Amino acid sequence: MSSSLRFSIRINNDLPVDQLVGLARIADARGFDQVWLSNDLFLRSAPVLLTVLAERTERIHIGAGIFNPYSIHPAELAMLTATLQEVSGGRFRLGLAAGAEEFLNWAGIARERPLARTAEAVRDVRTLLSGERPGGWAPEGHLRFPMRAPIYLGAMSPRMLSLAGEIADGALPLLYPPEHFTTARDQVQQGLDKAGRDGADFDLPACFWVSVDTDAAAAKLALAEKIAYYGASFAPYLLRRAGLEPADFKDIRPDQVTERMLALGIAGGPEEVVERCRGLIAAGARHLSFGPPLGPDPEAAVALLADEVLPKLRGA
């Protein structure tokens, strides 16, 4: 896995277009390496937003985090990827995963064989991006303008992380708590070993939720609101490793979020964020990915990360 230190931000597609563009432009101007945009169903269209971000930024890499092969066919995934790679001048990264079963159910889409379906999608999309035709497809079933791009797997379970090591160029494991990174890394390494890959160029961000502000209490409240909303849907496997259960989050209010729950992410002033992140770097993380809510004021938070957190981590 890469030895150079990288930084990225992750943004949800629930924000207004102007705010998304503003966050990406701050990250672009202030030294972040990547920006990833979610594609949750029934919110703003990530393909449209990613096109806008590609046009409104200059050097930062832009990622889809994530598309799924159930609501978007692999043929269209390849078309999207190739077009976004062309529009961005080679800065696009495709994030693929089985997707959230609950969200897909809203659209009446069954998430069958998630591991196999994801592996098949990676295989077919990569084949199409290389200009070839996937096996079993009609002779006409090939991309007319081949355009290669890195493919990442969104993964949390041990089996999906291992699969990422086998077939992908990177992985996007949502870590709660962030210190779960070492376990996720070892699971990716199992896949790398199985496939006989050395993993020198494999990109494994430590993806965590962060909330930073000069007012530490306000930062913690912003993360508490996020945890109260999403906590019950967190993977039981990861919660139990942190001494928690999904039932702990049932009908919980932000003011009921405990310190143990807050520790699932990173919240506070810049120094508190630096301290937790230094621990991740000491554990071997070479790419730190800062995700929502970012802070009570997301634009101010990205600027604060760039000005007061990243420089100290680069010198760690």
Side-chain angles (χ1 to χ4, degrees), residues 94-125:
L94 172 63
L96 264 180
E101 186 171 15
E102 181 182 7
F103 294 169
L104 290 169
N105 285 341
W106 292 348
I109 301 172
R111 196 188 69 162
E112 300 171 344
R113 303 166 49 245
L115 200 73
R117 189 75 172 266
T118 302
E120 291 162 3
V122 171
R123 178 198 65 204
D124 291 346
V125 171

Side-chain angles (χ1 to χ4, degrees), residues 123-124 127-143:
R123 178 198 65 204
D124 291 346
T127 298
L128 289 164
L129 292 176
S130 69
E132 302 297 323
R133 174 175 59 90
W137 289 34
E140 298 81 6
H142 63 91
L143 196 63

Side-chain angles (χ1 to χ4, degrees), residues 231-279:
S233 65
F234 282 176
Y237 157 70
L238 292 181
L239 288 180
R240 289 182 186 124
R241 290 177 59 90
L244 296 163
E245 295 283 345
D248 296 333
F249 299 87
K250 183 175 174 58
D251 299 325
I252 195 173
R253 300 189 309 270
D255 63 344
Q256 295 174 312
V257 171
T258 65
E259 287 296 324
R260 175 176 284 186
M261 293 174 180
L262 273 178
L264 294 171
I266 300 177
E271 284 303 324
E272 292 172 88
V273 175
V274 167
E275 184 174 350
R276 288 281 295 280
C277 289
R278 279 178 173 157

